[in-house]
Amino acid sequence: MTNKVCTQCGYEHVVIHRKYNGQRLCSKCFKKSIETKVLKTIKKQKLVTKGDKVLVGLSGGKDSVALLKILNILKEKGIIELEAVTIDEGISGYREEGIRIAKETTKELNVKHHIITFEDKYGFTIDKIMKAEEDNPNHQHACTYCGVFRRQVFNQVAREINATKLATGHNLDDESQSIMMNYLEGNINNMVRIGYKTSSSDKRFTPKIKPLREIPEKEIGLYVLESGFEVHFDGCPYAHESFRMEIGDFIRETTLKHPTIMYSILNGFEKIKPSLKKDYISQQIGKPNGTCEICGEPASQNICKSCKFLKDIKSKLKN
């Protein structure tokens, strides 16, 4: 907290000093700046159009709650329809609170809410998977399993309700981490998919949008606190073991000395992405969209990654 005045209105009670651009803002101006920036991003990047039905991935955490609240501004103006989906992966002591908050938030905003559990859909939880894998030193990380199954559920629900867009709460930290991770791993296939909007030539995939992509994680946290929103701040107990967490720690440490580093990563990537995408996509011409022989979902191979994991997991749980 600083005693210097707000650079927008001159009010003395400043809640944030943005070192990357020099702004000092009071609570009212700060909250307004977040909402304005997100809505401008939506308009500039053409993330939604009038009449869109947007499905929000709602965990009950700060990012997804902030996203739902801001998109609700467009719903209240009659520009979009809005629904939300919460996925219960079965992580004991962690997910329950997020689900409670998601239920209350959607009820408050009069937004239709879908809750899908891994237990009901797949017959197991992430906790059960990791328990079965604990003696295997080379097992897949929980985030790998979770990511594959969550993506499948999101896309299936979006298709079932005829959503035209699937919105996620990815913030600036998430995006800069994804760029660095995929670059270090040489994963060009994933890199070319990183963006404000991700579409596929396969119409069975609902376009994904990221309206919070230019907002730092700390600012989203401050936004929900200053707005009085109830959110789930606890982190996933499995996340600390991930490569993403290592990259995140590196970027956060670097940001202390170089406040603009995350914007530099994002903006630099956006400049090279068109060339990268053009060269990469040209190598993929002629490769048809496939269908999984087991579940019938879109797949790049005969059997999708979800079904491969399911077969392996059920075998281990049985044993």
Side-chain angles (χ1 to χ4, degrees), residues 178-241:
S178 293
I179 292 166
M180 292 299 296
M181 283 170 59
N182 286 296
Y183 175 75
L184 292 174
E185 293 176 327
N187 195 332
I188 306 301
N189 187 52
N190 281 351
M191 281 191 76
V192 296
R193 290 188 171 93
I194 298 172
Y196 293 95
K197 181 179 177 181
T198 307
S199 300
S200 171
S201 58
D202 191 327
K203 299 305 179 183
R204 293 172 294 179
F205 286 112
T206 303
K208 299 179 180 65
I209 59 173
K210 301 173 184 176
L212 304 184
R213 194 174 185 237
E214 296 181 9
I215 312 295
E217 182 177 22
K218 286 185 177 180
E219 292 194 18
I220 294 174
L222 182 60
Y223 172 74
V224 297
L225 287 172
E226 290 297 319
S227 300
F229 302 154
E230 185 178 15
V231 300
H232 185 219
F233 275 109
D234 291 346
C236 176
Y238 295 112
H240 69 280
E241 304 169 358

Side-chain angles (χ1 to χ4, degrees), residues 7 14 22-23 26 49 51 55 68 81 85 98 106 175 186 202 239 247 290:
T7 52
V14 170
Q23 283 185 334
C26 67
T49 56
L55 177 66
L68 188 68
E81 294 180 55
V85 58
T106 51
E175 289 294 274
D202 191 327
I247 297 298

Side-chain angles (χ1 to χ4, degrees), residues 33-49 67 70-71 74 168 170-172 175 195-197 209-216 263 266-267 270:
S33 75
I34 294 293
E35 293 168 0
T36 299
K37 188 168 185 176
V38 174
L39 293 174
K40 279 185 176 180
T41 295
I42 291 172
K43 184 176 181 180
K44 181 180 179 181
Q45 302 298 332
K46 300 178 181 178
L47 301 187
V48 301
T49 56
L67 175 62
I70 295 174
L71 285 177
L74 300 180
T168 60
H170 290 83
N171 56 49
L172 179 62
E175 289 294 274
Y196 293 95
K197 181 179 177 181
I209 59 173
K210 301 173 184 176
L212 304 184
R213 194 174 185 237
E214 296 181 9
I215 312 295
Y263 284 109
L266 183 67
N267 294 332
E270 287 299 312

Side-chain angles (χ1 to χ4, degrees), residues 17-286:
H17 174 206
R18 287 172 167 159
K19 293 183 180 180
Y20 57 84
N21 64 10
Q23 283 185 334
R24 298 175 189 273
L25 301 174
C26 67
S27 179
K28 183 178 178 180
C29 290
F30 167 68
K31 289 183 290 184
K32 184 66 176 176
S33 75
I34 294 293
E35 293 168 0
T36 299
K37 188 168 185 176
V38 174
L39 293 174
K40 279 185 176 180
T41 295
I42 291 172
K43 184 176 181 180
K44 181 180 179 181
Q45 302 298 332
K46 300 178 181 178
L47 301 187
V48 301
T49 56
K50 186 172 177 61
D52 265 337
K53 187 173 187 178
V54 182
L55 177 66
V56 177
L58 181 65
S59 68
K62 64 185 185 310
D63 303 307
S64 62
V65 169
L67 175 62
L68 188 68
K69 293 275 190 175
I70 295 174
L71 285 177
N72 192 60
I73 296 173
L74 300 180
K75 177 179 80 79
E76 292 296 306
K77 291 181 178 180
I79 297 173
I80 63 172
E81 294 180 55
L82 199 58
E83 294 191 21
V85 58
T86 300
I87 298 175
D88 181 359
E89 309 91 343
I91 303 175
S92 182
Y94 165 68
R95 183 52 72 198
E96 296 91 343
E97 182 68 0
I99 293 173
R100 180 188 67 79
I101 291 171
K103 286 180 178 178
E104 293 179 0
T105 303
T106 51
K107 184 178 180 181
E108 173 198 342
L109 300 178
N110 193 28
V111 170
K112 189 172 181 180
H113 188 208
H114 309 266
I115 301 176
I116 309 295
T117 73
F118 278 10
E119 184 73 75
D120 290 341
K121 184 168 181 60
Y122 298 116
F124 53 75
T125 64
I126 288 295
D127 281 346
K128 287 181 181 178
I129 296 172
M130 301 318 295
K131 179 69 175 176
E133 292 271 39
E134 63 184 0
D135 294 326
N136 177 11
N138 300 314
H139 67 77
Q140 294 279 4
H141 191 273
C143 295
T144 302
Y145 289 125
C146 205
V148 168
F149 295 128
R150 282 171 62 87
R151 281 192 293 273
Q152 185 179 70
V153 172
F154 279 142
N155 196 61
Q156 287 177 343
V157 174
R159 197 168 61 235
E160 287 167 6
I161 70 168
N162 295 314
T164 53
K165 301 288 170 57
L166 172 58
T168 60
H170 290 83
N171 56 49
L172 179 62
D173 295 56
D174 297 325
E175 289 294 274
S176 59
Q177 290 164 18
S178 293
I179 292 166
M180 292 299 296
M181 283 170 59
N182 286 296
Y183 175 75
L184 292 174
E185 293 176 327
N187 195 332
I188 306 301
N189 187 52
N190 281 351
M191 281 191 76
V192 296
R193 290 188 171 93
I194 298 172
Y196 293 95
K197 181 179 177 181
T198 307
S199 300
S200 171
S201 58
D202 191 327
K203 299 305 179 183
R204 293 172 294 179
F205 286 112
T206 303
K208 299 179 180 65
I209 59 173
K210 301 173 184 176
L212 304 184
R213 194 174 185 237
E214 296 181 9
I215 312 295
E217 182 177 22
K218 286 185 177 180
E219 292 194 18
I220 294 174
L222 182 60
Y223 172 74
V224 297
L225 287 172
E226 290 297 319
S227 300
F229 302 154
E230 185 178 15
V231 300
H232 185 219
F233 275 109
D234 291 346
C236 176
Y238 295 112
H240 69 280
E241 304 169 358
S242 68
F243 181 46
R244 176 178 287 276
M245 184 63 75
E246 293 180 49
I247 297 298
D249 289 341
F250 166 74
I251 293 176
R252 279 187 287 272
E253 290 176 14
T254 306
T255 301
L256 295 176
K257 291 184 178 180
H258 306 279
T260 63
I261 195 66
M262 286 192 291
Y263 284 109
S264 296
I265 293 172
L266 183 67
N267 294 332
F269 174 69
E270 287 299 312
K271 290 177 182 177
I272 66 170
K273 182 182 174 181
S275 298
L276 186 67
K277 193 171 183 179
K278 181 180 178 181
D279 291 343
Y280 180 76
I281 294 300
S282 67
Q283 299 171 25
Q284 309 302 308
I285 294 175

